PDB file of all heavy atoms in Angstrom:
ATOM      1  N   GLU B  41     111.039 -54.250   8.662  1.00 80.00           N
ATOM      2  CA  GLU B  41     110.888 -55.248   7.594  1.00 80.00           C
ATOM      3  C   GLU B  41     111.772 -56.478   7.798  1.00 80.00           C
ATOM      4  O   GLU B  41     111.713 -57.416   7.011  1.00 80.00           O
ATOM      5  CB  GLU B  41     111.214 -54.607   6.247  1.00 80.00           C
ATOM      6  CG  GLU B  41     110.264 -53.491   5.870  1.00 80.00           C
ATOM      7  CD  GLU B  41     110.719 -52.711   4.655  1.00 80.00           C
ATOM      8  OE1 GLU B  41     111.825 -52.985   4.132  1.00 80.00           O
ATOM      9  OE2 GLU B  41     109.983 -51.806   4.234  1.00 80.00           O
ATOM     10  N   VAL B  42     112.573 -56.468   8.841  1.00 79.00           N
ATOM     11  CA  VAL B  42     113.465 -57.605   9.097  1.00 79.00           C
ATOM     12  C   VAL B  42     112.630 -58.820   9.486  1.00 79.00           C
ATOM     13  O   VAL B  42     111.827 -58.772  10.411  1.00 79.00           O
ATOM     14  CB  VAL B  42     114.470 -57.278  10.220  1.00 79.00           C
ATOM     15  CG1 VAL B  42     115.284 -58.499  10.585  1.00 79.00           C
ATOM     16  CG2 VAL B  42     115.361 -56.131   9.804  1.00 79.00           C
ATOM     17  N   PRO B  43     112.796 -59.931   8.763  1.00 77.00           N
ATOM     18  CA  PRO B  43     112.026 -61.127   9.098  1.00 77.00           C
ATOM     19  C   PRO B  43     112.639 -61.845  10.297  1.00 77.00           C
ATOM     20  O   PRO B  43     113.747 -62.341  10.242  1.00 77.00           O
ATOM     21  CB  PRO B  43     112.154 -61.995   7.839  1.00 77.00           C
ATOM     22  CG  PRO B  43     113.479 -61.601   7.266  1.00 77.00           C
ATOM     23  CD  PRO B  43     113.652 -60.140   7.613  1.00 77.00           C
ATOM     24  N   MET B  44     111.929 -61.847  11.404  1.00 74.00           N
ATOM     25  CA  MET B  44     112.423 -62.547  12.591  1.00 74.00           C
ATOM     26  C   MET B  44     111.958 -63.997  12.527  1.00 74.00           C
ATOM     27  O   MET B  44     110.825 -64.279  12.143  1.00 74.00           O
ATOM     28  CB  MET B  44     111.907 -61.885  13.864  1.00 74.00           C
ATOM     29  CG  MET B  44     112.479 -60.498  14.096  1.00 74.00           C
ATOM     30  SD  MET B  44     114.288 -60.405  14.070  1.00 74.00           S
ATOM     31  CE  MET B  44     114.726 -61.487  15.386  1.00 74.00           C
ATOM     32  N   LEU B  45     112.827 -64.888  12.883  1.00 73.00           N
ATOM     33  CA  LEU B  45     112.530 -66.317  12.886  1.00 73.00           C
ATOM     34  C   LEU B  45     112.125 -66.702  14.298  1.00 73.00           C
ATOM     35  O   LEU B  45     112.977 -66.950  15.151  1.00 73.00           O
ATOM     36  CB  LEU B  45     113.743 -67.099  12.396  1.00 73.00           C
ATOM     37  CG  LEU B  45     114.267 -66.668  11.021  1.00 73.00           C
ATOM     38  CD1 LEU B  45     115.604 -67.306  10.736  1.00 73.00           C
ATOM     39  CD2 LEU B  45     113.255 -67.025   9.947  1.00 73.00           C
ATOM     40  N   ASP B  46     110.827 -66.695  14.561  1.00 74.00           N
ATOM     41  CA  ASP B  46     110.312 -66.931  15.913  1.00 74.00           C
ATOM     42  C   ASP B  46     110.860 -68.210  16.534  1.00 74.00           C
ATOM     43  O   ASP B  46     110.814 -69.281  15.926  1.00 74.00           O
ATOM     44  CB  ASP B  46     108.783 -67.013  15.900  1.00 74.00           C
ATOM     45  CG  ASP B  46     108.134 -65.684  15.576  1.00 74.00           C
ATOM     46  OD1 ASP B  46     108.815 -64.654  15.702  1.00 74.00           O
ATOM     47  OD2 ASP B  46     106.956 -65.678  15.194  1.00 74.00           O
ATOM     48  N   GLY B  47     111.359 -68.053  17.741  1.00 74.00           N
ATOM     49  CA  GLY B  47     111.790 -69.204  18.512  1.00 74.00           C
ATOM     50  C   GLY B  47     113.000 -69.933  17.952  1.00 74.00           C
ATOM     51  O   GLY B  47     113.142 -71.130  18.146  1.00 74.00           O
ATOM     52  N   LEU B  48     113.865 -69.221  17.264  1.00 83.00           N
ATOM     53  CA  LEU B  48     115.018 -69.887  16.664  1.00 83.00           C
ATOM     54  C   LEU B  48     116.302 -69.201  17.116  1.00 83.00           C
ATOM     55  O   LEU B  48     116.376 -67.982  17.204  1.00 83.00           O
ATOM     56  CB  LEU B  48     114.903 -69.815  15.142  1.00 83.00           C
ATOM     57  CG  LEU B  48     115.821 -70.716  14.344  1.00 83.00           C
ATOM     58  CD1 LEU B  48     115.612 -72.186  14.696  1.00 83.00           C
ATOM     59  CD2 LEU B  48     115.592 -70.523  12.858  1.00 83.00           C
ATOM     60  N   TRP B  49     117.297 -70.019  17.433  1.00 89.00           N
ATOM     61  CA  TRP B  49     118.619 -69.493  17.730  1.00 89.00           C
ATOM     62  C   TRP B  49     119.646 -70.424  17.105  1.00 89.00           C
ATOM     63  O   TRP B  49     119.328 -71.477  16.586  1.00 89.00           O
ATOM     64  CB  TRP B  49     118.845 -69.334  19.225  1.00 89.00           C
ATOM     65  CG  TRP B  49     118.774 -70.577  20.060  1.00 89.00           C
ATOM     66  CD1 TRP B  49     119.641 -71.632  20.046  1.00 89.00           C
ATOM     67  CD2 TRP B  49     117.780 -70.896  21.036  1.00 89.00           C
ATOM     68  NE1 TRP B  49     119.257 -72.576  20.963  1.00 89.00           N
ATOM     69  CE2 TRP B  49     118.119 -72.154  21.583  1.00 89.00           C
ATOM     70  CE3 TRP B  49     116.659 -70.247  21.511  1.00 89.00           C
ATOM     71  CZ2 TRP B  49     117.362 -72.764  22.576  1.00 89.00           C
ATOM     72  CZ3 TRP B  49     115.916 -70.864  22.501  1.00 89.00           C
ATOM     73  CH2 TRP B  49     116.272 -72.106  23.017  1.00 89.00           C
ATOM     74  N   SER B  50     120.900 -70.037  17.167  1.00 91.00           N
ATOM     75  CA  SER B  50     121.949 -70.809  16.492  1.00 91.00           C
ATOM     76  C   SER B  50     122.638 -71.787  17.450  1.00 91.00           C
ATOM     77  O   SER B  50     122.313 -71.866  18.636  1.00 91.00           O
ATOM     78  CB  SER B  50     122.997 -69.860  15.898  1.00 91.00           C
ATOM     79  OG  SER B  50     123.853 -69.363  16.913  1.00 91.00           O
ATOM     80  N   ASP B  51     123.614 -72.465  16.904  1.00 93.00           N
ATOM     81  CA  ASP B  51     124.413 -73.393  17.703  1.00 93.00           C
ATOM     82  C   ASP B  51     125.157 -72.665  18.821  1.00 93.00           C
ATOM     83  O   ASP B  51     125.494 -73.275  19.832  1.00 93.00           O
ATOM     84  CB  ASP B  51     125.395 -74.157  16.807  1.00 93.00           C
ATOM     85  CG  ASP B  51     126.381 -73.244  16.088  1.00 93.00           C
ATOM     86  OD1 ASP B  51     125.962 -72.147  15.652  1.00 93.00           O
ATOM     87  OD2 ASP B  51     127.539 -73.629  15.938  1.00 93.00           O
ATOM     88  N   ASP B  52     125.373 -71.370  18.666  1.00 94.00           N
ATOM     89  CA  ASP B  52     126.053 -70.613  19.724  1.00 94.00           C
ATOM     90  C   ASP B  52     125.276 -70.704  21.038  1.00 94.00           C
ATOM     91  O   ASP B  52     125.839 -70.987  22.092  1.00 94.00           O
ATOM     92  CB  ASP B  52     126.217 -69.147  19.331  1.00 94.00           C
ATOM     93  CG  ASP B  52     127.035 -68.963  18.071  1.00 94.00           C
ATOM     94  OD1 ASP B  52     127.819 -69.877  17.731  1.00 94.00           O
ATOM     95  OD2 ASP B  52     126.897 -67.918  17.422  1.00 94.00           O
ATOM     96  N   SER B  53     123.973 -70.464  20.959  1.00 94.00           N
ATOM     97  CA  SER B  53     123.134 -70.554  22.166  1.00 94.00           C
ATOM     98  C   SER B  53     123.015 -71.989  22.644  1.00 94.00           C
ATOM     99  O   SER B  53     123.053 -72.259  23.844  1.00 94.00           O
ATOM    100  CB  SER B  53     121.734 -69.989  21.893  1.00 94.00           C
ATOM    101  OG  SER B  53     121.785 -68.605  21.722  1.00 94.00           O
ATOM    102  N   SER B  54     122.836 -72.909  21.710  1.00 96.00           N
ATOM    103  CA  SER B  54     122.677 -74.312  22.093  1.00 96.00           C
ATOM    104  C   SER B  54     123.886 -74.809  22.881  1.00 96.00           C
ATOM    105  O   SER B  54     123.736 -75.466  23.919  1.00 96.00           O
ATOM    106  CB  SER B  54     122.475 -75.190  20.854  1.00 96.00           C
ATOM    107  OG  SER B  54     121.264 -74.866  20.219  1.00 96.00           O
ATOM    108  N   LEU B  55     125.077 -74.484  22.408  1.00 97.00           N
ATOM    109  CA  LEU B  55     126.278 -74.962  23.088  1.00 97.00           C
ATOM    110  C   LEU B  55     126.537 -74.191  24.386  1.00 97.00           C
ATOM    111  O   LEU B  55     127.082 -74.752  25.340  1.00 97.00           O
ATOM    112  CB  LEU B  55     127.476 -74.900  22.141  1.00 97.00           C
ATOM    113  CG  LEU B  55     127.348 -75.869  20.952  1.00 97.00           C
ATOM    114  CD1 LEU B  55     128.482 -75.656  19.955  1.00 97.00           C
ATOM    115  CD2 LEU B  55     127.296 -77.305  21.414  1.00 97.00           C
ATOM    116  N   THR B  56     126.094 -72.942  24.448  1.00 97.00           N
ATOM    117  CA  THR B  56     126.171 -72.199  25.709  1.00 97.00           C
ATOM    118  C   THR B  56     125.273 -72.848  26.748  1.00 97.00           C
ATOM    119  O   THR B  56     125.666 -73.048  27.901  1.00 97.00           O
ATOM    120  CB  THR B  56     125.768 -70.724  25.496  1.00 97.00           C
ATOM    121  OG1 THR B  56     126.689 -70.118  24.584  1.00 97.00           O
ATOM    122  CG2 THR B  56     125.768 -69.960  26.808  1.00 97.00           C
ATOM    123  N   LEU B  57     124.042 -73.187  26.346  1.00 96.00           N
ATOM    124  CA  LEU B  57     123.108 -73.844  27.269  1.00 96.00           C
ATOM    125  C   LEU B  57     123.605 -75.229  27.674  1.00 96.00           C
ATOM    126  O   LEU B  57     123.455 -75.628  28.831  1.00 96.00           O
ATOM    127  CB  LEU B  57     121.723 -73.928  26.631  1.00 96.00           C
ATOM    128  CG  LEU B  57     121.035 -72.588  26.395  1.00 96.00           C
ATOM    129  CD1 LEU B  57     119.753 -72.787  25.599  1.00 96.00           C
ATOM    130  CD2 LEU B  57     120.768 -71.870  27.705  1.00 96.00           C
ATOM    131  N   ALA B  58     124.200 -75.946  26.732  1.00 97.00           N
ATOM    132  CA  ALA B  58     124.749 -77.268  27.051  1.00 97.00           C
ATOM    133  C   ALA B  58     125.872 -77.150  28.075  1.00 97.00           C
ATOM    134  O   ALA B  58     125.964 -77.956  29.012  1.00 97.00           O
ATOM    135  CB  ALA B  58     125.257 -77.944  25.774  1.00 97.00           C
ATOM    136  N   THR B  59     126.706 -76.145  27.921  1.00 97.00           N
ATOM    137  CA  THR B  59     127.794 -75.914  28.866  1.00 97.00           C
ATOM    138  C   THR B  59     127.244 -75.510  30.233  1.00 97.00           C
ATOM    139  O   THR B  59     127.663 -76.048  31.266  1.00 97.00           O
ATOM    140  CB  THR B  59     128.746 -74.823  28.338  1.00 97.00           C
ATOM    141  OG1 THR B  59     129.255 -75.227  27.060  1.00 97.00           O
ATOM    142  CG2 THR B  59     129.888 -74.574  29.299  1.00 97.00           C
ATOM    143  N   ALA B  60     126.300 -74.569  30.230  1.00 96.00           N
ATOM    144  CA  ALA B  60     125.724 -74.098  31.491  1.00 96.00           C
ATOM    145  C   ALA B  60     125.048 -75.234  32.248  1.00 96.00           C
ATOM    146  O   ALA B  60     125.196 -75.344  33.471  1.00 96.00           O
ATOM    147  CB  ALA B  60     124.725 -72.973  31.213  1.00 96.00           C
ATOM    148  N   GLU B  61     124.324 -76.079  31.547  1.00 96.00           N
ATOM    149  CA  GLU B  61     123.644 -77.195  32.200  1.00 96.00           C
ATOM    150  C   GLU B  61     124.652 -78.130  32.849  1.00 96.00           C
ATOM    151  O   GLU B  61     124.481 -78.569  33.982  1.00 96.00           O
ATOM    152  CB  GLU B  61     122.770 -77.950  31.191  1.00 96.00           C
ATOM    153  CG  GLU B  61     121.772 -78.904  31.799  1.00 96.00           C
ATOM    154  CD  GLU B  61     122.364 -80.250  32.192  1.00 96.00           C
ATOM    155  OE1 GLU B  61     123.374 -80.680  31.589  1.00 96.00           O
ATOM    156  OE2 GLU B  61     121.804 -80.893  33.102  1.00 96.00           O
ATOM    157  N   ALA B  62     125.744 -78.416  32.157  1.00 96.00           N
ATOM    158  CA  ALA B  62     126.773 -79.292  32.714  1.00 96.00           C
ATOM    159  C   ALA B  62     127.424 -78.652  33.938  1.00 96.00           C
ATOM    160  O   ALA B  62     127.731 -79.336  34.918  1.00 96.00           O
ATOM    161  CB  ALA B  62     127.831 -79.609  31.656  1.00 96.00           C
ATOM    162  N   LEU B  63     127.601 -77.335  33.914  1.00 94.00           N
ATOM    163  CA  LEU B  63     128.248 -76.644  35.031  1.00 94.00           C
ATOM    164  C   LEU B  63     127.359 -76.548  36.261  1.00 94.00           C
ATOM    165  O   LEU B  63     127.850 -76.236  37.347  1.00 94.00           O
ATOM    166  CB  LEU B  63     128.708 -75.252  34.597  1.00 94.00           C
ATOM    167  CG  LEU B  63     129.848 -75.234  33.575  1.00 94.00           C
ATOM    168  CD1 LEU B  63     130.134 -73.802  33.133  1.00 94.00           C
ATOM    169  CD2 LEU B  63     131.105 -75.893  34.130  1.00 94.00           C
ATOM    170  N   THR B  64     126.062 -76.803  36.122  1.00 92.00           N
ATOM    171  CA  THR B  64     125.195 -76.785  37.301  1.00 92.00           C
ATOM    172  C   THR B  64     125.492 -77.956  38.223  1.00 92.00           C
ATOM    173  O   THR B  64     125.121 -77.931  39.388  1.00 92.00           O
ATOM    174  CB  THR B  64     123.699 -76.820  36.923  1.00 92.00           C
ATOM    175  OG1 THR B  64     123.400 -78.032  36.236  1.00 92.00           O
ATOM    176  CG2 THR B  64     123.315 -75.619  36.085  1.00 92.00           C
ATOM    177  N   LYS B  65     126.128 -78.986  37.705  1.00 89.00           N
ATOM    178  CA  LYS B  65     126.453 -80.176  38.494  1.00 89.00           C
ATOM    179  C   LYS B  65     127.834 -80.041  39.138  1.00 89.00           C
ATOM    180  O   LYS B  65     128.001 -80.237  40.314  1.00 89.00           O
ATOM    181  CB  LYS B  65     126.363 -81.418  37.626  1.00 89.00           C
ATOM    182  CG  LYS B  65     124.950 -81.670  37.124  1.00 89.00           C
ATOM    183  CD  LYS B  65     124.945 -82.741  36.055  1.00 89.00           C
ATOM    184  CE  LYS B  65     123.580 -83.036  35.530  1.00 89.00           C
ATOM    185  NZ  LYS B  65     122.908 -81.898  34.913  1.00 89.00           N
ATOM    186  N   ASP B  66     128.826 -79.707  38.335  1.00 88.00           N
ATOM    187  CA  ASP B  66     130.203 -79.572  38.783  1.00 88.00           C
ATOM    188  C   ASP B  66     131.025 -79.221  37.556  1.00 88.00           C
ATOM    189  O   ASP B  66     130.545 -79.354  36.438  1.00 88.00           O
ATOM    190  CB  ASP B  66     130.708 -80.884  39.398  1.00 88.00           C
ATOM    191  CG  ASP B  66     131.990 -80.698  40.219  1.00 88.00           C
ATOM    192  OD1 ASP B  66     132.404 -79.538  40.408  1.00 88.00           O
ATOM    193  OD2 ASP B  66     132.560 -81.702  40.666  1.00 88.00           O
ATOM    194  N   TYR B  67     132.251 -78.804  37.749  1.00 89.00           N
ATOM    195  CA  TYR B  67     133.099 -78.572  36.584  1.00 89.00           C
ATOM    196  C   TYR B  67     133.701 -79.902  36.164  1.00 89.00           C
ATOM    197  O   TYR B  67     134.602 -80.428  36.817  1.00 89.00           O
ATOM    198  CB  TYR B  67     134.210 -77.560  36.861  1.00 89.00           C
ATOM    199  CG  TYR B  67     135.052 -77.356  35.629  1.00 89.00           C
ATOM    200  CD1 TYR B  67     134.597 -76.545  34.607  1.00 89.00           C
ATOM    201  CD2 TYR B  67     136.244 -78.029  35.464  1.00 89.00           C
ATOM    202  CE1 TYR B  67     135.326 -76.383  33.452  1.00 89.00           C
ATOM    203  CE2 TYR B  67     136.991 -77.879  34.303  1.00 89.00           C
ATOM    204  CZ  TYR B  67     136.523 -77.053  33.303  1.00 89.00           C
ATOM    205  OH  TYR B  67     137.245 -76.903  32.146  1.00 89.00           O
ATOM    206  N   ASP B  68     133.141 -80.446  35.101  1.00 92.00           N
ATOM    207  CA  ASP B  68     133.620 -81.723  34.578  1.00 92.00           C
ATOM    208  C   ASP B  68     133.581 -81.636  33.057  1.00 92.00           C
ATOM    209  O   ASP B  68     132.510 -81.587  32.455  1.00 92.00           O
ATOM    210  CB  ASP B  68     132.731 -82.865  35.074  1.00 92.00           C
ATOM    211  CG  ASP B  68     133.160 -84.220  34.548  1.00 92.00           C
ATOM    212  OD1 ASP B  68     134.238 -84.324  33.919  1.00 92.00           O
ATOM    213  OD2 ASP B  68     132.411 -85.192  34.751  1.00 92.00           O
ATOM    214  N   ILE B  69     134.742 -81.593  32.459  1.00 96.00           N
ATOM    215  CA  ILE B  69     134.838 -81.447  31.006  1.00 96.00           C
ATOM    216  C   ILE B  69     134.111 -82.582  30.284  1.00 96.00           C
ATOM    217  O   ILE B  69     133.563 -82.390  29.205  1.00 96.00           O
ATOM    218  CB  ILE B  69     136.318 -81.333  30.559  1.00 96.00           C
ATOM    219  CG1 ILE B  69     136.437 -80.801  29.140  1.00 96.00           C
ATOM    220  CG2 ILE B  69     137.036 -82.644  30.681  1.00 96.00           C
ATOM    221  CD1 ILE B  69     136.144 -79.340  29.019  1.00 96.00           C
ATOM    222  N   ASN B  70     134.048 -83.758  30.907  1.00 96.00           N
ATOM    223  CA  ASN B  70     133.347 -84.882  30.283  1.00 96.00           C
ATOM    224  C   ASN B  70     131.839 -84.649  30.226  1.00 96.00           C
ATOM    225  O   ASN B  70     131.189 -85.044  29.252  1.00 96.00           O
ATOM    226  CB  ASN B  70     133.662 -86.189  31.028  1.00 96.00           C
ATOM    227  CG  ASN B  70     135.104 -86.583  30.848  1.00 96.00           C
ATOM    228  OD1 ASN B  70     135.631 -86.586  29.747  1.00 96.00           O
ATOM    229  ND2 ASN B  70     135.777 -86.884  31.948  1.00 96.00           N
ATOM    230  N   SER B  71     131.271 -84.001  31.234  1.00 96.00           N
ATOM    231  CA  SER B  71     129.838 -83.671  31.217  1.00 96.00           C
ATOM    232  C   SER B  71     129.533 -82.677  30.102  1.00 96.00           C
ATOM    233  O   SER B  71     128.517 -82.792  29.413  1.00 96.00           O
ATOM    234  CB  SER B  71     129.396 -83.064  32.545  1.00 96.00           C
ATOM    235  OG  SER B  71     129.277 -84.039  33.522  1.00 96.00           O
ATOM    236  N   ILE B  72     130.400 -81.708  29.958  1.00 97.00           N
ATOM    237  CA  ILE B  72     130.220 -80.732  28.886  1.00 97.00           C
ATOM    238  C   ILE B  72     130.292 -81.442  27.536  1.00 97.00           C
ATOM    239  O   ILE B  72     129.435 -81.245  26.666  1.00 97.00           O
ATOM    240  CB  ILE B  72     131.265 -79.604  28.981  1.00 97.00           C
ATOM    241  CG1 ILE B  72     131.091 -78.823  30.286  1.00 97.00           C
ATOM    242  CG2 ILE B  72     131.183 -78.678  27.778  1.00 97.00           C
ATOM    243  CD1 ILE B  72     132.213 -77.851  30.594  1.00 97.00           C
TER     244      ILE B  72
END
Side-chain angles (χ1 to χ4, degrees):
E41 297 171 356
V42 174
M44 292 306 300
L45 305 169
D46 292 342
L48 194 59
W49 61 68
S50 77
D51 61 321
D52 300 338
S53 290
S54 295
L55 294 173
T56 298
L57 294 173
T59 302
E61 194 279 333
L63 292 175
T64 62
K65 296 169 180 60
D66 196 7
Y67 180 79
D68 179 8
I69 196 74
N70 292 312
S71 284
I72 297 170

